[in-house]
mmCIF file of all heavy atoms in Angstrom:
data_model
loop_
_atom_site.group_PDB
_atom_site.id
_atom_site.type_symbol
_atom_site.label_atom_id
_atom_site.label_comp_id
_atom_site.label_asym_id
_atom_site.label_seq_id
_atom_site.Cartn_x
_atom_site.Cartn_y
_atom_site.Cartn_z
ATOM 1 N N GLY A 43 94.149 98.471 87.597
ATOM 2 C CA GLY A 43 94.061 98.914 86.305
ATOM 3 C C GLY A 43 92.759 98.351 85.691
ATOM 4 O O GLY A 43 92.030 97.650 86.126
ATOM 5 N N ALA A 44 92.541 98.731 84.380
ATOM 6 C CA ALA A 44 91.439 98.191 83.681
ATOM 7 C C ALA A 44 91.297 96.641 83.644
ATOM 8 O O ALA A 44 90.054 96.240 83.894
ATOM 9 C CB ALA A 44 91.458 98.654 82.074
ATOM 10 N N PRO A 45 92.251 95.905 83.476
ATOM 11 C CA PRO A 45 91.952 94.362 83.471
ATOM 12 C C PRO A 45 91.630 94.013 84.826
ATOM 13 O O PRO A 45 90.700 93.062 84.981
ATOM 14 C CB PRO A 45 93.405 93.840 83.100
ATOM 15 C CG PRO A 45 94.121 94.848 82.455
ATOM 16 C CD PRO A 45 93.610 96.220 83.011
ATOM 17 N N HIS A 46 91.979 94.625 85.876
ATOM 18 C CA HIS A 46 91.575 94.230 87.282
ATOM 19 C C HIS A 46 90.223 94.564 87.537
ATOM 20 O O HIS A 46 89.419 93.699 87.991
ATOM 21 C CB HIS A 46 92.507 94.909 88.265
ATOM 22 C CG HIS A 46 94.004 94.736 88.062
ATOM 23 N ND1 HIS A 46 94.832 95.741 87.871
ATOM 24 C CD2 HIS A 46 94.788 93.577 88.037
ATOM 25 C CE1 HIS A 46 96.043 95.246 87.744
ATOM 26 N NE2 HIS A 46 96.038 93.976 87.791
ATOM 27 N N GLU A 47 89.848 95.729 87.167
ATOM 28 C CA GLU A 47 88.405 96.196 87.346
ATOM 29 C C GLU A 47 87.467 95.361 86.565
ATOM 30 O O GLU A 47 86.388 94.942 87.013
ATOM 31 C CB GLU A 47 88.252 97.675 87.009
ATOM 32 C CG GLU A 47 89.012 98.633 87.882
ATOM 33 C CD GLU A 47 88.919 100.043 87.390
ATOM 34 O OE1 GLU A 47 88.471 100.293 86.258
ATOM 35 O OE2 GLU A 47 89.229 100.979 88.234
ATOM 36 N N THR A 48 87.794 95.015 85.330
ATOM 37 C CA THR A 48 86.940 94.208 84.529
ATOM 38 C C THR A 48 86.793 92.800 85.086
ATOM 39 O O THR A 48 85.650 92.314 85.099
ATOM 40 C CB THR A 48 87.521 94.049 83.108
ATOM 41 O OG1 THR A 48 87.632 95.265 82.509
ATOM 42 C CG2 THR A 48 86.768 93.154 82.151
ATOM 43 N N ALA A 49 87.878 92.152 85.688
ATOM 44 C CA ALA A 49 87.787 90.876 86.286
ATOM 45 C C ALA A 49 86.775 90.975 87.415
ATOM 46 O O ALA A 49 85.967 89.987 87.599
ATOM 47 C CB ALA A 49 89.059 90.383 86.643
ATOM 48 N N ILE A 50 86.877 91.920 88.237
ATOM 49 C CA ILE A 50 85.988 92.073 89.371
ATOM 50 C C ILE A 50 84.495 92.316 88.983
ATOM 51 O O ILE A 50 83.589 91.596 89.453
ATOM 52 C CB ILE A 50 86.397 93.238 90.294
ATOM 53 C CG1 ILE A 50 87.827 92.891 90.902
ATOM 54 C CG2 ILE A 50 85.441 93.555 91.356
ATOM 55 C CD1 ILE A 50 88.559 94.078 91.529
ATOM 56 N N ALA A 51 84.366 93.113 88.002
ATOM 57 C CA ALA A 51 83.060 93.398 87.560
ATOM 58 C C ALA A 51 82.393 92.131 86.878
ATOM 59 O O ALA A 51 81.217 91.852 86.989
ATOM 60 C CB ALA A 51 82.978 94.625 86.495
ATOM 61 N N ASN A 52 83.202 91.418 86.005
ATOM 62 C CA ASN A 52 82.676 90.251 85.421
ATOM 63 C C ASN A 52 82.227 89.192 86.439
ATOM 64 O O ASN A 52 81.302 88.382 86.216
ATOM 65 C CB ASN A 52 83.701 89.665 84.467
ATOM 66 C CG ASN A 52 83.887 90.465 83.192
ATOM 67 O OD1 ASN A 52 82.967 91.389 82.926
ATOM 68 N ND2 ASN A 52 84.971 90.320 82.523
ATOM 69 N N HIS A 53 82.915 89.171 87.515
ATOM 70 C CA HIS A 53 82.498 88.131 88.659
ATOM 71 C C HIS A 53 81.085 88.433 89.134
ATOM 72 O O HIS A 53 80.384 87.475 89.424
ATOM 73 C CB HIS A 53 83.610 88.170 89.697
ATOM 74 C CG HIS A 53 83.258 87.209 90.797
ATOM 75 N ND1 HIS A 53 83.434 85.936 90.764
ATOM 76 C CD2 HIS A 53 82.871 87.527 92.251
ATOM 77 C CE1 HIS A 53 83.139 85.384 91.842
ATOM 78 N NE2 HIS A 53 82.785 86.321 92.711
ATOM 79 N N TYR A 54 80.730 89.608 89.214
ATOM 80 C CA TYR A 54 79.344 90.067 89.793
ATOM 81 C C TYR A 54 78.344 90.298 88.659
ATOM 82 O O TYR A 54 77.174 90.133 88.877
ATOM 83 C CB TYR A 54 79.527 91.295 90.611
ATOM 84 C CG TYR A 54 80.303 91.059 91.845
ATOM 85 C CD1 TYR A 54 81.634 91.354 91.934
ATOM 86 C CD2 TYR A 54 79.664 90.418 93.026
ATOM 87 C CE1 TYR A 54 82.414 91.131 93.172
ATOM 88 C CE2 TYR A 54 80.433 90.295 94.221
ATOM 89 C CZ TYR A 54 81.802 90.638 94.185
ATOM 90 O OH TYR A 54 82.541 90.389 95.399
ATOM 91 N N ASP A 55 78.803 90.563 87.470
ATOM 92 C CA ASP A 55 77.855 90.984 86.385
ATOM 93 C C ASP A 55 76.937 92.001 86.665
ATOM 94 O O ASP A 55 75.823 92.118 86.204
ATOM 95 C CB ASP A 55 77.218 89.756 85.816
ATOM 96 C CG ASP A 55 76.703 89.862 84.446
ATOM 97 O OD1 ASP A 55 77.294 90.515 83.658
ATOM 98 O OD2 ASP A 55 75.742 89.131 84.121
ATOM 99 N N LEU A 56 77.387 92.896 87.652
ATOM 100 C CA LEU A 56 76.497 93.959 88.075
ATOM 101 C C LEU A 56 77.434 95.111 88.404
ATOM 102 O O LEU A 56 78.654 94.888 88.578
ATOM 103 C CB LEU A 56 75.603 93.649 89.343
ATOM 104 C CG LEU A 56 74.404 92.782 89.040
ATOM 105 C CD1 LEU A 56 73.922 92.364 90.401
ATOM 106 C CD2 LEU A 56 73.243 93.532 88.356
ATOM 107 N N PRO A 57 77.029 96.337 88.490
ATOM 108 C CA PRO A 57 77.853 97.394 89.118
ATOM 109 C C PRO A 57 78.232 96.991 90.501
ATOM 110 O O PRO A 57 77.381 96.474 91.332
ATOM 111 C CB PRO A 57 76.960 98.582 89.132
ATOM 112 C CG PRO A 57 75.842 98.390 88.101
ATOM 113 C CD PRO A 57 75.654 96.892 88.094
ATOM 114 N N VAL A 58 79.520 97.081 90.823
ATOM 115 C CA VAL A 58 79.948 96.687 92.060
ATOM 116 C C VAL A 58 80.884 97.815 92.707
ATOM 117 O O VAL A 58 81.621 98.380 92.110
ATOM 118 C CB VAL A 58 80.950 95.332 91.862
ATOM 119 C CG1 VAL A 58 81.989 95.541 90.871
ATOM 120 C CG2 VAL A 58 81.450 94.897 93.179
ATOM 121 N N PHE A 59 80.744 97.930 94.044
ATOM 122 C CA PHE A 59 81.575 98.947 94.812
ATOM 123 C C PHE A 59 82.739 98.182 95.307
ATOM 124 O O PHE A 59 82.684 97.128 95.934
ATOM 125 C CB PHE A 59 80.758 99.385 96.100
ATOM 126 C CG PHE A 59 79.628 100.387 95.740
ATOM 127 C CD1 PHE A 59 78.374 100.002 96.072
ATOM 128 C CD2 PHE A 59 79.943 101.615 95.275
ATOM 129 C CE1 PHE A 59 77.277 100.995 95.823
ATOM 130 C CE2 PHE A 59 78.900 102.606 94.995
ATOM 131 C CZ PHE A 59 77.582 102.146 95.264
ATOM 132 N N ILE A 60 83.940 98.783 95.002
ATOM 133 C CA ILE A 60 85.239 98.423 95.566
ATOM 134 C C ILE A 60 85.541 99.537 96.658
ATOM 135 O O ILE A 60 85.664 100.697 96.310
ATOM 136 C CB ILE A 60 86.438 98.328 94.660
ATOM 137 C CG1 ILE A 60 86.000 97.399 93.519
ATOM 138 C CG2 ILE A 60 87.586 97.897 95.322
ATOM 139 C CD1 ILE A 60 87.100 97.360 92.395
ATOM 140 N N THR A 61 85.496 99.107 97.975
ATOM 141 C CA THR A 61 85.531 100.086 99.071
ATOM 142 C C THR A 61 86.910 99.992 99.701
ATOM 143 O O THR A 61 87.699 99.062 99.660
ATOM 144 C CB THR A 61 84.506 99.776 100.086
ATOM 145 O OG1 THR A 61 84.742 98.468 100.710
ATOM 146 C CG2 THR A 61 83.126 99.656 99.529
ATOM 147 N N ASP A 62 87.167 100.985 100.578
ATOM 148 C CA ASP A 62 88.284 101.079 101.512
ATOM 149 C C ASP A 62 89.695 100.890 100.881
ATOM 150 O O ASP A 62 90.455 99.958 101.243
ATOM 151 C CB ASP A 62 87.996 100.003 102.624
ATOM 152 C CG ASP A 62 86.746 99.982 103.363
ATOM 153 O OD1 ASP A 62 86.201 101.178 103.468
ATOM 154 O OD2 ASP A 62 86.232 99.054 103.712
ATOM 155 N N TYR A 63 89.966 101.759 99.924
ATOM 156 C CA TYR A 63 91.316 101.766 99.317
ATOM 157 C C TYR A 63 92.352 102.226 100.298
ATOM 158 O O TYR A 63 92.081 102.936 101.260
ATOM 159 C CB TYR A 63 91.269 102.686 98.121
ATOM 160 C CG TYR A 63 90.611 102.098 96.897
ATOM 161 C CD1 TYR A 63 89.301 101.992 96.762
ATOM 162 C CD2 TYR A 63 91.489 101.530 95.875
ATOM 163 C CE1 TYR A 63 88.635 101.527 95.579
ATOM 164 C CE2 TYR A 63 90.845 101.103 94.655
ATOM 165 C CZ TYR A 63 89.440 101.015 94.518
ATOM 166 O OH TYR A 63 88.852 100.546 93.417
ATOM 167 N N PRO A 64 93.660 101.852 99.938
ATOM 168 C CA PRO A 64 94.716 102.294 100.774
ATOM 169 C C PRO A 64 94.807 103.864 100.780
ATOM 170 O O PRO A 64 94.555 104.462 99.737
ATOM 171 C CB PRO A 64 95.923 101.774 100.069
ATOM 172 C CG PRO A 64 95.445 100.508 99.409
ATOM 173 C CD PRO A 64 94.009 100.933 98.965
ATOM 174 N N THR A 65 95.127 104.487 101.916
ATOM 175 C CA THR A 65 95.160 105.904 102.099
ATOM 176 C C THR A 65 96.192 106.464 101.138
ATOM 177 O O THR A 65 95.963 107.573 100.477
ATOM 178 C CB THR A 65 95.655 106.239 103.513
ATOM 179 O OG1 THR A 65 94.696 105.637 104.445
ATOM 180 C CG2 THR A 65 95.706 107.746 103.733
ATOM 181 N N LYS A 66 97.373 105.826 100.770
ATOM 182 C CA LYS A 66 98.483 106.415 100.129
ATOM 183 C C LYS A 66 98.084 106.514 98.581
ATOM 184 O O LYS A 66 98.743 107.310 97.950
ATOM 185 C CB LYS A 66 99.706 105.557 100.311
ATOM 186 C CG LYS A 66 99.675 104.208 99.674
ATOM 187 C CD LYS A 66 101.001 103.414 99.917
ATOM 188 C CE LYS A 66 101.019 102.091 99.336
ATOM 189 N NZ LYS A 66 102.275 101.429 99.494
ATOM 190 N N ILE A 67 97.096 105.903 98.099
ATOM 191 C CA ILE A 67 96.763 106.062 96.703
ATOM 192 C C ILE A 67 95.520 106.839 96.424
ATOM 193 O O ILE A 67 95.032 106.938 95.274
ATOM 194 C CB ILE A 67 96.645 104.658 95.894
ATOM 195 C CG1 ILE A 67 95.542 103.800 96.566
ATOM 196 C CG2 ILE A 67 98.049 103.958 96.032
ATOM 197 C CD1 ILE A 67 95.211 102.479 95.852
ATOM 198 N N LYS A 68 94.904 107.481 97.472
ATOM 199 C CA LYS A 68 93.733 108.299 97.298
ATOM 200 C C LYS A 68 94.106 109.739 97.777
ATOM 201 O O LYS A 68 95.036 109.986 98.410
ATOM 202 C CB LYS A 68 92.644 107.721 98.234
ATOM 203 C CG LYS A 68 92.064 106.357 97.649
ATOM 204 C CD LYS A 68 91.389 106.620 96.261
ATOM 205 C CE LYS A 68 90.736 105.404 95.679
ATOM 206 N NZ LYS A 68 90.175 105.670 94.373
ATOM 207 N N PRO A 69 93.176 110.651 97.314
ATOM 208 C CA PRO A 69 93.445 112.091 97.568
ATOM 209 C C PRO A 69 93.378 112.375 99.088
ATOM 210 O O PRO A 69 92.901 111.604 99.927
ATOM 211 C CB PRO A 69 92.196 112.713 96.804
ATOM 212 C CG PRO A 69 91.798 111.825 95.875
ATOM 213 C CD PRO A 69 92.058 110.412 96.398
ATOM 214 N N PHE A 70 93.877 113.591 99.420
ATOM 215 C CA PHE A 70 94.186 113.994 100.669
ATOM 216 C C PHE A 70 92.932 114.155 101.616
ATOM 217 O O PHE A 70 92.973 114.220 102.854
ATOM 218 C CB PHE A 70 94.997 115.364 100.716
ATOM 219 C CG PHE A 70 94.140 116.566 100.277
ATOM 220 C CD1 PHE A 70 93.500 117.307 101.248
ATOM 221 C CD2 PHE A 70 94.019 116.871 98.975
ATOM 222 C CE1 PHE A 70 92.790 118.426 100.860
ATOM 223 C CE2 PHE A 70 93.268 117.964 98.568
ATOM 224 C CZ PHE A 70 92.594 118.785 99.563
ATOM 225 N N TYR A 71 91.795 114.290 101.024
ATOM 226 C CA TYR A 71 90.567 114.821 101.784
ATOM 227 C C TYR A 71 89.748 113.694 102.283
ATOM 228 O O TYR A 71 88.640 113.879 102.824
ATOM 229 C CB TYR A 71 89.646 115.677 100.800
ATOM 230 C CG TYR A 71 89.441 115.176 99.520
ATOM 231 C CD1 TYR A 71 88.462 114.064 99.370
ATOM 232 C CD2 TYR A 71 90.068 115.661 98.431
ATOM 233 C CE1 TYR A 71 88.289 113.535 98.121
ATOM 234 C CE2 TYR A 71 89.861 115.111 97.100
ATOM 235 C CZ TYR A 71 88.909 114.052 97.002
ATOM 236 O OH TYR A 71 88.736 113.499 95.701
ATOM 237 N N MET A 72 90.109 112.369 102.049
ATOM 238 C CA MET A 72 89.223 111.311 102.403
ATOM 239 C C MET A 72 89.411 110.820 103.850
ATOM 240 O O MET A 72 90.515 110.834 104.381
ATOM 241 C CB MET A 72 89.496 110.079 101.521
ATOM 242 C CG MET A 72 89.123 110.385 100.045
ATOM 243 S SD MET A 72 89.307 108.821 99.067
ATOM 244 C CE MET A 72 88.737 109.471 97.463
ATOM 245 N N GLN A 73 88.251 110.572 104.516
ATOM 246 C CA GLN A 73 88.167 110.314 105.933
ATOM 247 C C GLN A 73 88.765 108.877 106.214
ATOM 248 O O GLN A 73 88.580 108.018 105.371
ATOM 249 C CB GLN A 73 86.701 110.240 106.461
ATOM 250 C CG GLN A 73 86.474 109.801 107.839
ATOM 251 C CD GLN A 73 86.850 110.935 108.732
ATOM 252 O OE1 GLN A 73 87.022 112.083 108.382
ATOM 253 N NE2 GLN A 73 86.920 110.658 109.983
ATOM 254 N N PRO A 74 89.706 108.828 107.154
ATOM 255 C CA PRO A 74 90.338 107.505 107.533
ATOM 256 C C PRO A 74 89.299 106.495 107.921
ATOM 257 O O PRO A 74 88.236 106.802 108.567
ATOM 258 C CB PRO A 74 91.280 107.882 108.753
ATOM 259 C CG PRO A 74 91.487 109.341 108.655
ATOM 260 C CD PRO A 74 90.200 109.901 108.052
ATOM 261 N N ASN A 75 89.594 105.280 107.724
ATOM 262 C CA ASN A 75 88.733 104.119 108.011
ATOM 263 C C ASN A 75 89.041 103.800 109.456
ATOM 264 O O ASN A 75 90.079 103.468 109.788
ATOM 265 C CB ASN A 75 89.060 102.960 107.145
ATOM 266 C CG ASN A 75 88.110 101.753 107.520
ATOM 267 O OD1 ASN A 75 87.280 101.721 108.324
ATOM 268 N ND2 ASN A 75 88.224 100.719 106.623
ATOM 269 N N PRO A 76 88.029 103.937 110.406
ATOM 270 C CA PRO A 76 88.249 103.647 111.785
ATOM 271 C C PRO A 76 88.648 102.200 112.142
ATOM 272 O O PRO A 76 89.235 101.814 113.165
ATOM 273 C CB PRO A 76 86.914 104.009 112.453
ATOM 274 C CG PRO A 76 85.876 103.865 111.430
ATOM 275 C CD PRO A 76 86.599 104.330 110.181
ATOM 276 N N ASP A 77 88.330 101.279 111.210
ATOM 277 C CA ASP A 77 88.600 99.889 111.380
ATOM 278 C C ASP A 77 90.003 99.439 110.849
ATOM 279 O O ASP A 77 90.443 98.302 111.010
ATOM 280 C CB ASP A 77 87.533 99.008 110.666
ATOM 281 C CG ASP A 77 86.113 99.250 111.292
ATOM 282 O OD1 ASP A 77 86.110 99.463 112.526
ATOM 283 O OD2 ASP A 77 85.175 99.213 110.634
ATOM 284 N N ASN A 78 90.549 100.413 110.008
ATOM 285 C CA ASN A 78 91.973 100.098 109.443
ATOM 286 C C ASN A 78 92.540 101.393 109.054
ATOM 287 O O ASN A 78 92.180 102.007 108.150
ATOM 288 C CB ASN A 78 91.782 99.268 108.233
ATOM 289 C CG ASN A 78 93.087 98.912 107.587
ATOM 290 O OD1 ASN A 78 94.158 99.400 107.945
ATOM 291 N ND2 ASN A 78 93.095 97.984 106.665
ATOM 292 N N GLU A 79 93.565 101.911 109.893
ATOM 293 C CA GLU A 79 94.128 103.200 109.757
ATOM 294 C C GLU A 79 94.854 103.308 108.352
ATOM 295 O O GLU A 79 95.233 104.411 107.984
ATOM 296 C CB GLU A 79 95.056 103.504 110.865
ATOM 297 C CG GLU A 79 96.205 102.482 111.000
ATOM 298 C CD GLU A 79 97.124 102.874 112.186
ATOM 299 O OE1 GLU A 79 96.767 103.626 113.086
ATOM 300 O OE2 GLU A 79 98.231 102.262 112.236
ATOM 301 N N ASP A 80 95.169 102.221 107.706
ATOM 302 C CA ASP A 80 95.809 102.384 106.428
ATOM 303 C C ASP A 80 94.956 102.556 105.154
ATOM 304 O O ASP A 80 95.440 102.583 104.149
ATOM 305 C CB ASP A 80 96.625 101.011 106.234
ATOM 306 C CG ASP A 80 97.776 100.876 107.241
ATOM 307 O OD1 ASP A 80 98.398 101.958 107.614
ATOM 308 O OD2 ASP A 80 98.173 99.781 107.599
ATOM 309 N N THR A 81 93.650 102.655 105.509
ATOM 310 C CA THR A 81 92.692 102.772 104.434
ATOM 311 C C THR A 81 91.785 103.866 104.704
ATOM 312 O O THR A 81 91.701 104.458 105.798
ATOM 313 C CB THR A 81 91.790 101.439 104.234
ATOM 314 O OG1 THR A 81 91.011 101.220 105.337
ATOM 315 C CG2 THR A 81 92.718 100.262 103.883
ATOM 316 N N VAL A 82 90.867 104.345 103.747
ATOM 317 C CA VAL A 82 90.018 105.457 103.846
ATOM 318 C C VAL A 82 88.637 105.016 103.549
ATOM 319 O O VAL A 82 88.381 103.981 102.760
ATOM 320 C CB VAL A 82 90.508 106.633 102.946
ATOM 321 C CG1 VAL A 82 91.576 107.354 103.551
ATOM 322 C CG2 VAL A 82 90.690 106.183 101.536
ATOM 323 N N LEU A 83 87.683 105.783 103.995
ATOM 324 C CA LEU A 83 86.225 105.480 103.671
ATOM 325 C C LEU A 83 85.862 105.960 102.339
ATOM 326 O O LEU A 83 85.493 107.057 102.215
ATOM 327 C CB LEU A 83 85.397 106.136 104.755
ATOM 328 C CG LEU A 83 85.531 105.569 106.223
ATOM 329 C CD1 LEU A 83 84.736 106.343 107.216
ATOM 330 C CD2 LEU A 83 85.248 104.069 106.267
ATOM 331 N N CYS A 84 86.120 105.221 101.402
ATOM 332 C CA CYS A 84 85.821 105.473 99.965
ATOM 333 C C CYS A 84 85.305 104.288 99.249
ATOM 334 O O CYS A 84 85.358 103.149 99.659
ATOM 335 C CB CYS A 84 87.095 106.061 99.364
ATOM 336 S SG CYS A 84 88.296 104.751 99.010
ATOM 337 N N ALA A 85 84.902 104.600 97.965
ATOM 338 C CA ALA A 85 84.530 103.423 97.077
ATOM 339 C C ALA A 85 84.527 103.941 95.667
ATOM 340 O O ALA A 85 84.326 105.155 95.341
ATOM 341 C CB ALA A 85 83.082 103.050 97.448
ATOM 342 N N ASP A 86 84.911 103.087 94.754
ATOM 343 C CA ASP A 86 84.735 103.229 93.331
ATOM 344 C C ASP A 86 83.666 102.300 92.827
ATOM 345 O O ASP A 86 83.568 101.091 93.327
ATOM 346 C CB ASP A 86 86.049 102.907 92.531
ATOM 347 C CG ASP A 86 87.142 103.904 92.815
ATOM 348 O OD1 ASP A 86 86.840 105.029 93.297
ATOM 349 O OD2 ASP A 86 88.369 103.576 92.428
ATOM 350 N N LEU A 87 82.792 102.860 92.077
ATOM 351 C CA LEU A 87 81.745 101.928 91.467
ATOM 352 C C LEU A 87 82.228 101.560 90.097
ATOM 353 O O LEU A 87 82.393 102.432 89.213
ATOM 354 C CB LEU A 87 80.369 102.742 91.396
ATOM 355 C CG LEU A 87 79.285 101.847 90.839
ATOM 356 C CD1 LEU A 87 78.936 100.775 91.770
ATOM 357 C CD2 LEU A 87 77.966 102.769 90.589
#
């Protein structure tokens, strides 16, 4: 949520990529992560 994203961004004080979200909370078209089948190759900036 917004408080979580803000805390992460404030830690870096720069735009920050959060990568490799769980498959179940992301859309159907995202490529699976070969290093972790429960996540996908994605990022939110």
Side-chain angles (χ1 to χ4, degrees):
H46 307 121
E47 292 177 344
T48 299
I50 294 168
N52 287 345
H53 179 70
Y54 293 96
D55 200 29
L56 284 169
V58 54
F59 287 114
I60 304 176
T61 68
D62 307 328
Y63 279 78
T65 304
K66 67 179 182 180
I67 62 172
K68 285 299 181 180
F70 72 94
Y71 50 74
M72 293 188 176
Q73 179 74 13
N75 183 354
D77 297 326
N78 183 350
E79 62 181 12
D80 294 326
T81 66
V82 286
L83 295 177
C84 71
D86 289 348
L87 182 63

